[in-house]
Amino acid sequence: MSTGHILLLGAIAGATIFLGLPIGRMRGLGRSTRAALSALATGILIFLLWDVLTGAVDPINAALDARHWGRFSWLAALGLAGFTLGLMGLVYYSEWMKRRGERRATALVGPGAAATDEFEHRTWLESLTPGQQLALLIAIGIGAHNFGEGLAIGQAAAASRISLAVTLIIGFGLHNATEGFGICGPMSGEGTHPSWRFLAALGVIGGLPTFLGTALGQAWSSEAMSVVFFAVAAGSILYVVQELFAVNRKFGHPRLVTWLVLAGITLGFATDFVVTAAGV
């Protein structure tokens, strides 16, 4: 199979994320339905957290088992740094956005036009609803995760393991199809109806890295890079999961929410089994 064919299939695997995004445009959803969608998204992201942590930790464990202490220390440091960046970077960014919003609100009601100059025009991010901002963060975290998956596809193809590469593409394609639901969960939960352009942007952010990872993985193999991207994805997804738990508690349907979280985790593992079977 040619490089062009592998890249085309890698692009298709990333594009399947668009299959779940139209749910974000559904209107007239009741409170229980919105709770169910938010909880399903939470379950899928909990699975993805496990998935990316496994991807980051496995090479570190391999170095530890082989008693390669220098490589173990290097990969462990990269993993910790990436996880910290993914988690705490979003925490500090969220706090910065909140402080800016509070200063803007104060400036707009304060005396004098000079006080409003800095905040009279909102940035694109500030124009988004909280649910849309959370959806954007989910797409970024999933994008980092899918870049790591793309690296796995490209490296399998570079090693001439074409059957494994194709099976990974099929498995990741199924996997990515569920991620669109995870992205739309916060918007469905708050009843937001995003534009098609915004949904397309989320799909590109989450899905394009699969293709980019495939292209880079074919040309250059780097275990350290894989550890970093999976660790960053894990940190960002952990932040989003804890935010979604806070959203889910507001719905007041604990049994429904818990069942749908379980369903989301199960759905994630079900699609992952295809990938696991490919490596047997």
Side-chain angles (χ1 to χ4, degrees):
M1 185 175 292
S2 68
T3 297
H5 287 151
I6 290 293
L7 293 178
L8 175 61
L9 291 176
I12 293 173
T16 58
I17 197 172
F18 287 95
L19 296 177
L21 291 176
I23 197 173
R25 294 279 298 174
M26 293 180 64
R27 297 178 181 273
L29 300 178
R31 185 177 179 85
S32 60
T33 302
R34 291 188 285 115
L37 290 174
S38 179
L40 182 66
T42 305
I44 292 172
L45 289 171
I46 290 173
F47 162 76
L48 288 178
L49 176 60
W50 170 87
D51 192 38
V52 294
L53 279 176
T54 300
V57 172
D58 279 352
I60 300 173
N61 277 335
L64 180 62
D65 291 339
R67 300 298 191 267
H68 294 163
W69 304 118
R71 183 161 185 79
F72 164 74
S73 300
W74 168 241
L75 292 178
L78 286 178
L80 178 59
F83 186 79
T84 302
L85 176 64
L87 177 60
M88 299 309 300
L90 291 185
V91 170
Y92 282 107
Y93 175 77
S94 177
E95 290 185 347
W96 176 80
M97 285 289 290
K98 290 178 181 177
R99 287 196 301 269
R100 180 177 171 82
E102 291 171 355
R103 292 199 303 270
R104 181 178 184 277
T106 301
L108 289 176
V109 300
T116 67
D117 287 345
E118 180 185 356
F119 301 102
E120 62 180 1
H121 298 295
R122 292 190 300 174
T123 64
W124 175 73
L125 285 174
E126 290 174 323
S127 69
L128 301 178
T129 68
Q132 289 174 329
Q133 290 180 8
L134 190 52
L136 178 61
L137 295 180
I138 293 174
I140 293 172
I142 286 178
H145 164 257
N146 286 345
F147 185 85
E149 289 186 343
L151 287 176
I153 294 172
Q155 289 172 11
S160 298
R161 301 173 66 187
I162 301 300
S163 61
L164 173 59
V166 172
T167 311
L168 287 175
I169 288 168
I170 295 172
F172 290 149
L174 293 173
H175 198 125
N176 290 350
T178 67
E179 293 172 350
F181 295 102
I183 292 173
C184 289
M187 295 183 291
S188 300
E190 71 172 5
T192 301
H193 304 297
S195 66
W196 287 112
R197 178 180 294 184
F198 182 66
L199 289 178
L202 294 179
V204 170
I205 293 171
L208 181 61
T210 305
F211 170 77
L212 298 178
T214 302
L216 183 60
Q218 274 204 310
W220 180 50
S221 177
S222 173
E223 192 174 54
M225 178 186 296
S226 179
V227 169
V228 169
F229 272 92
F230 277 130
V232 170
S236 59
I237 290 174
L238 177 58
Y239 171 82
V240 171
V241 166
Q242 68 180 11
E243 290 295 303
L244 281 177
F245 271 121
V247 171
N248 292 337
R249 280 194 295 269
K250 296 179 180 178
F251 283 112
H253 297 281
R255 284 181 293 180
L256 175 65
V257 165
T258 305
W259 273 114
L260 267 297
V261 168
L262 177 61
I265 296 173
T266 303
L267 181 61
F269 273 104
T271 57
D272 189 63
F273 287 156
V274 176
V275 181
T276 303
V280 177

